[in-house]
Amino acid sequence: MPSGHSPPVVVLGAGWAGLTAALTLARAGHRVHLIEAAKTAGGRARSLSLDGTELDNGQHVLVGACRETLAQMRALGVDTDTGFHALPFGLRMFAPGQADEQPAFHLEPRSPRLPALAAALYRALSQTDLRDRLRALLGAAAMLHRPLRDDLPVQDWLLARHQPPALIHALWDPLCLAVMNTPTRHASARIFQHVLRLALNHGPQAARLLIPARPLGALFPEPALQELRARGARIDLGRRVTALEQRPDDPVAPFRIHSRASDPLPARGLILATTPAAAARLLPASGPWLPTKQALQAMGARSICTVYLRYPTPPGEIGPLQGLLDQHGQWLIPRHLADAPHWLAVVISAADDQQPLTAQARWRTVARSLAATFPQLGTPEAGHTVCERRATVDARPGLDCQRPSPHTPWRGCILAGDYLTRALPSTLEAAVQSGLESAHLFLEDHP
Ligand SMILES: Cc1cc2nc3c(=O)[nH]c(=O)nc-3n(C[C@H](O)[C@H](O)[C@H](O)COP(=O)(O)OP(=O)(O)OC[C@H]3O[C@@H](n4cnc5c(N)ncnc54)[C@H](O)[C@@H]3O)c2cc1C
């Protein structure tokens, strides 16, 4: 354990990975200095204020299988039972202009166990002839059964498993986009299958869909900062790090952290919990760094836009999570669950694949298509579009072999972030798992 006066371990980036790493190190007795470029913590999962209402930079949904994320929240005293609205696994997909306001497709199994899933799928395929229906059922069962050895695009995997085009369109395309933020024709089947197996092979708790019932900041970033402060950590929000330097001749403080705001800060250790693009900009390009740098630069990114619509009266009669088929956006989530009763959120995954629109044109387009699907909503009085250009990594086939290692050529400098966690897409769970791993790697060398 370090003395009270030794230089701190710097954690760079206060996203969920950096916050998890900082908490783990502080709980192990290390002096921590958390540095974040933005004025708020949370990174790609943070609260923001729109028209005076606290919302999030993007609508997030978890599943019960996000065990480390939920455990981290509980360790901070967050009640995850009231912090989330839990739904049993199931989907209701709505298409525009359905006169009877019934879902165009729904899969609502009595439980996420295989027989109940098969029965629900059998019912959902009622329009398909019996032979194709049975082939699709057997194919879907095989998809969950054994882990794939070789990776391939999700679309090829679905076709090889006899999934009919109508089922791909109504179920697999939206599910894959929701999980991977990458369309089926480009997404890694191994990663998709891993997530399906985590959620669907471990009972009803793991398969639950968890919709935040509070703004994201209250679920993790704010309580995490509170505990870090209570443990004496230094927190620097609004400070952008411009360069990193190694001083191999200084055994006590082998790193210097440069920013415009102050003289270089000495550090005993460094957890670099930024996005891959930011890490690539900060790290050297020479000799031993080349493989890390190339791996970081090779991580493609995909965007997500979230449209928020505010209605003059709280929109009633809308379920907590509605799928949208053939519309500008895939999921509709009323924000009354998170204390904003006048607001609806619409998630537009892989937004780079859609026609480019200005922020205003985008929310107006979404509002029009929602009104065609849910006429009871009427016209919103205001709207906003929040786009995150680099929301997630591009979860393409072979991604797991291309991820960099968290170890770097500088001993004591460790990478963290959602993009490092094998077999998972960019998610809060991947970020938290990586934050834990980076802290444990540091602690192995600096107990
Ligand atoms: C719109 C949207 C919707 C999403 N939906 C879901 C979902 O439903 N479920 C789910 O599980 N996941 C979802 N995700 C993904 C999830 O938010 C991310 O996987 C996760 O937040 C990544 O955390 P991280 O700590 O790895 O990285 P980040 O959150 O990106 O944190 C990196 C931090 O480093 C800081 N930084 C970068 N450079 C510097 C510098 N030079 N100096 C100082 N600080 C720096 C950044 O400001 C940032 O705060 C969504 C993401 C978005 C954007």
Side-chain angles (χ1 to χ4, degrees):
M1 188 153 321
S3 88
H5 298 295
S6 64
V9 184
V10 166
V11 177
L12 184 49
W16 290 48
L19 288 167
T20 304
L23 280 169
T24 310
L25 293 169
R27 286 172 185 158
H30 284 264
R31 282 184 68 210
V32 170
H33 184 170
L34 177 64
I35 305 181
E36 164 58 50
K39 294 221 165 68
T40 47
R44 278 171 278 157
R46 65 186 185 281
S47 295
L48 49 74
S49 170
L50 293 178
D51 302 343
T53 303
E54 206 182 352
L55 298 161
D56 299 319
N57 68 311
Q59 177 63 53
H60 282 61
V61 177
L62 278 72
V63 288
C66 296
R67 288 175 51 185
E68 297 294 356
T69 309
L70 296 169
Q72 285 299 312
M73 290 176 188
R74 288 189 200 111
L76 289 166
V78 173
D79 180 349
T80 51
D81 290 335
T82 55
F84 290 92
H85 182 87
L87 295 173
F89 176 76
L91 295 179
R92 288 163 69 77
M93 308 299 300
F94 290 84
Q98 285 163 240
D100 52 3
E101 290 174 29
Q102 288 300 308
F105 175 87
H106 67 113
L107 183 79
E108 292 170 291
R110 283 200 191 90
S111 91
R113 305 210 187 272
L114 205 54
L117 278 172
L121 202 52
Y122 189 79
R123 285 192 297 274
L125 288 169
S126 58
Q127 306 298 320
T128 311
D129 82 54
L130 186 62
R131 188 167 154 270
D132 290 347
R133 214 169 172 184
L134 291 174
R135 268 158 54 100
L137 271 185
L138 290 174
M143 284 163 62
L144 285 179
H145 181 56
R146 187 171 301 148
L148 279 167
R149 262 214 335 245
D150 300 318
D151 211 350
L152 72 169
V154 170
Q155 195 175 55
D156 295 358
W157 184 49
L158 296 171
L159 293 173
R161 291 296 178 191
H162 310 296
Q163 301 303 290
L167 190 66
I168 294 180
H169 175 65
L171 171 67
W172 295 117
D173 281 347
L175 202 57
C176 180
L177 262 190
V179 168
M180 317 269 283
N181 193 32
T182 306
T184 44
R185 63 185 181 285
H186 296 304
S188 154
R190 280 188 63 162
I191 297 179
F192 187 47
Q193 185 199 37
H194 183 71
V195 175
L196 291 176
R197 284 168 55 83
L198 280 178
L200 297 177
N201 283 359
H202 297 90
Q205 289 292 320
R208 287 176 314 156
L209 303 174
L210 303 177
I211 301 173
R214 289 195 231 154
L216 287 170
L219 288 175
F220 186 63
E222 286 154 21
L225 290 187
Q226 222 169 39
E227 178 173 329
L228 285 168
R229 286 196 179 100
R231 289 184 179 275
R234 183 171 161 198
I235 316 275
D236 254 333
L237 299 177
R239 179 196 289 247
R240 178 169 296 279
V241 168
T242 50
L244 304 171
E245 183 193 350
Q246 190 196 32
R247 294 272 180 93
D249 51 333
D250 184 345
V252 181
F255 303 107
R256 294 289 182 281
I257 316 296
H258 296 260
S259 68
R260 289 203 187 91
S262 70
D263 291 339
L265 299 164
R268 283 182 76 223
L270 178 57
I271 307 282
L272 192 51
T274 66
T275 54
R281 278 195 298 275
L282 287 170
L283 292 170
S286 58
W289 276 98
L290 220 53
T292 312
K293 188 102 170 176
Q294 281 169 347
L296 288 166
Q297 284 167 338
M299 296 270 127
R302 286 190 170 269
S303 65
I304 300 180
C305 293
T306 308
V307 161
Y308 285 109
L309 300 173
R310 193 182 77 216
Y311 289 84
T313 53
E317 306 287 312
I318 297 276
L321 175 70
Q322 310 290 4
L324 305 174
L325 275 180
D326 304 321
Q327 299 182 55
H328 197 91
Q330 299 91 27
W331 303 98
L332 166 65
I333 295 156
R335 291 291 300 198
H336 69 81
L337 294 172
D339 246 7
H342 292 259
W343 291 85
L344 295 181
V346 172
V347 180
I348 306 163
S349 295
D352 3 37
D353 286 2
Q354 300 216 349
Q355 87 190 93
L357 290 175
T358 62
Q360 191 174 80
R362 205 183 282 275
W363 76 253
R364 288 194 186 282
T365 305
V366 167
R368 267 197 306 277
S369 91
L370 272 191
T373 314
F374 303 100
Q376 73 271 29
L377 283 178
T379 310
E381 60 183 5
H384 294 272
T385 306
V386 185
C387 283
E388 294 273 355
R389 225 165 39 82
R390 296 179 164 273
T392 66
V393 295
D394 183 23
R396 58 184 178 247
L399 174 65
D400 272 343
C401 306
Q402 294 154 8
R403 297 184 201 262
S405 152
H407 291 285
T408 73
W410 290 347
R411 195 154 171 236
C413 168
I414 296 163
L415 300 179
D418 60 353
Y419 64 97
L420 293 160
T421 304
R422 289 177 68 81
L424 287 183
S426 287
T427 49
L428 295 175
E429 180 68 7
V432 167
Q433 284 190 20
S434 164
L436 286 170
E437 185 189 10
S438 65
H440 289 137
L441 289 173
F442 184 83
L443 291 172
E444 274 171 20
D445 256 7
H446 306 77

